[in-house]
Structures are given as C-alpha cells and as structure tokens.
Amino acid sequence: EPSPAMSYGQRVTIRNRNMLSSGRHPATRQPLFVGTGETCASCTHHVVHGGGGGRHFHKCARHRLGVSLSEASDIRVSWPACALYKPEPET
C-alpha cells in the first residue's frame, strides 16, 4: 500500500499496479481487453508527445484526465490494452 512517506511517483506506480491486478486499466478505468496480449503501444489512442532534450511522453487520447502535460496523464506502452482498444491502422 502507498504511504505518505513515498514520493508521488512511487504512490502512482503502486496504485497503477493495483488497478491492473484488479482487471482495470489505470488510465481509462475500463476493464482490460482480455485474451489477445495487445498493449497500449499498438492502440490507435496511443499518442506520443515530444519533450525537451529528446524525451518522449506516452499519453492516451481516451485517458480519464484528458491529454495534458502532466505526469498524471502518462501511460506505459507495456500496459495491457483496455476495452476501448482499437488497433493501429495498417500502413
């Protein structure tokens, strides 16, 4: 369980792991898209924002907080896809 002595990032990481363990996606709060092995990386809602110094920030266009410059709306591309998953169009 997160404790007040932990940093914000540590608390968020624990909260996200708990959400995934309970079958919910941390960004959208939707049920996980089960059985296919798909992740946020291959979803059409995955958006990459470039930051200073060559850094990239991964966001979800369907995030419950919206897409913002905040760390709170970051996603992990390795997270399992949620029920809102749509595959990237083939090029």
Side-chain angles (χ1 to χ4, degrees):
E1 282 298 307
S3 75
M6 294 177 168
S7 72
Y8 171 76
Q10 291 170 322
R11 291 190 312 270
V12 168
T13 298
I14 291 171
R15 188 169 54 237
N16 290 343
R17 282 188 196 143
N18 290 342
M19 289 287 298
L20 290 168
S21 294
S22 71
R24 294 262 174 216
H25 196 279
T28 62
R29 301 290 200 250
Q30 295 291 314
L32 296 178
F33 191 59
V34 194
T36 64
E38 299 295 344
T39 65
C40 292
S42 62
C43 182
T44 192
H45 302 300
H46 172 231
V47 180
V48 180
H49 287 279
R55 296 184 66 193
H56 294 88
F57 302 95
H58 299 273
K59 308 288 184 174
C60 175
R62 302 296 299 270
H63 199 293
R64 71 188 188 290
L65 301 175
V67 176
S68 71
L69 299 178
S70 169
E71 173 184 355
S73 66
D74 287 353
I75 64 166
R76 303 285 181 261
V77 294
S78 61
W79 282 347
C82 75
L84 301 176
Y85 175 81
K86 289 187 181 176
E88 283 280 345
E90 293 187 28
T91 56

